[in-house]
Amino acid sequence: MRESTFSFWQDTEFNVLPSKPLTPTDYSYHASTGEEECWLWEAGSPDGCYLNVSFCVCNNEGKARLMVARPGRDVIVQEYTAHIKASTDHLDIQMAGSRIYQEGNDFYLEWRSEELRVDLVYKPLLPPWQPGQGRINYGEKGDKYLVWSVPIPRANISGKIIHKEHEESFYGEGMGEYLRYNFPLSQALGGALKGRFYSDSYTLLWADFWGNLLYSGKHVRAFYFAHDKDVLASTGNLEVQVLEQTTKDNLTYPAELSLEADITPLVRLDIEKTKAVGPPRLTVMGGSAILCIGEGKLTTATAPEKRASGRAFMETLIITRD
């Protein structure tokens, strides 16, 4: 049984209920009217190349976006709306020739445009995860809900990127998450912060969703902690402290923050020197998401003198309109 940090309304199904293993159906296309569903994948390489892709669907209309950022070069951002072709029993989303899908244990990204072609294979290092049963309920009897899960907590990634006929190989690491909700975000949310940290041997994932004034600004949080291939913790007992903020494109995101998870042993992650990557991503249901990359140091209570260094990736969701 996961320990609850917050039971407002009824059961949030996020930290109250036992963790439910994810199945391929859970993060496939649900095809529900009035929902926005998003599959958000990213990849980073040791040489500093960073790729982020989103496939989002709302009322049967799809929107795909891909960003590639490489040191010393212009950031490439491509996006379009298109009809979709999707499976409801396993992950397979197709839009205008681009595709994300799962075959066996592996996940695949194919992006097709006139100037850019991306082919990547994600080989997971850890099993899929969700906090509790992945759902936060808002409104009376949970008639408004938000579902968040991580089908790919960490993966080795390989493939190629072809831009204007110039081909480059890609080798790195990354993750993939899934988010869906059935209400305009401003009706319940004040904002959200989602992130991940990778060192040589540690993997941390976290999410912090907070309600708007109607929901007293209450936070619902989740934290995941793994060492190599062993999952050590899945809990809502997480404190997030933003120490400094910065602004880009009139949107504010953390420049320095710390996370502390009340588990045994106690875990603390300090993140600094964050930098926004590319322009914000707009959601259909009223949010702007800004991505940033930073440097992180992980400390455990059993070995406070040893600090594991790694990279942190974060997305700040800012509610932008009614």
Side-chain angles (χ1 to χ4, degrees), residues 136-174:
I136 306 173
N137 293 322
Y138 296 93
E140 294 184 7
K141 299 181 180 180
D143 59 329
K144 300 181 183 69
Y145 56 83
L146 180 150
V147 176
W148 180 74
S149 62
V150 187
I152 316 170
R154 184 172 184 169
N156 284 332
I157 304 170
S158 61
K160 60 185 178 181
I161 300 174
I162 303 174
H163 183 225
K164 296 181 178 179
E165 301 183 355
H166 177 69
E167 180 175 329
E168 296 181 11
S169 297
F170 183 96
Y171 298 96
E173 289 188 318

Side-chain angles (χ1 to χ4, degrees), residues 192-296:
L193 176 67
K194 300 184 280 96
R196 39 267 169 211
F197 167 82
Y198 303 128
S199 72
D200 289 342
S201 56
Y202 288 104
T203 301
L204 278 74
L205 308 173
W206 68 92
D208 182 3
F209 299 93
W210 56 91
N212 59 15
L213 183 62
L214 178 63
Y215 293 94
S216 305
K218 292 291 187 178
H219 290 256
V220 179
R221 297 183 174 117
F223 177 79
Y224 168 99
F225 182 44
H227 181 259
D228 292 330
K229 294 187 178 182
D230 296 324
V231 179
L232 304 180
S234 171
T235 181
N237 293 327
L238 175 68
E239 293 296 325
V240 181
Q241 185 177 9
V242 177
L243 304 174
E244 185 179 342
Q245 294 183 320
T246 189
T247 300
K248 180 182 179 181
D249 298 327
N250 295 319
L251 300 176
T252 300
Y253 65 93
E256 183 178 344
L257 74 159
S258 68
L259 311 173
E260 193 167 285
D262 187 10
I263 59 177
T264 303
L266 188 75
V267 170
R268 179 184 175 94
L269 176 64
D270 295 296
I271 301 171
E272 58 183 12
K273 298 180 180 179
T274 66
K275 181 180 179 181
V277 185
R281 176 180 62 84
L282 301 180
T283 74
V284 174
M285 304 281 263
S288 292
I290 189 162
L291 291 158
C292 69
I293 299 175
E295 300 175 5

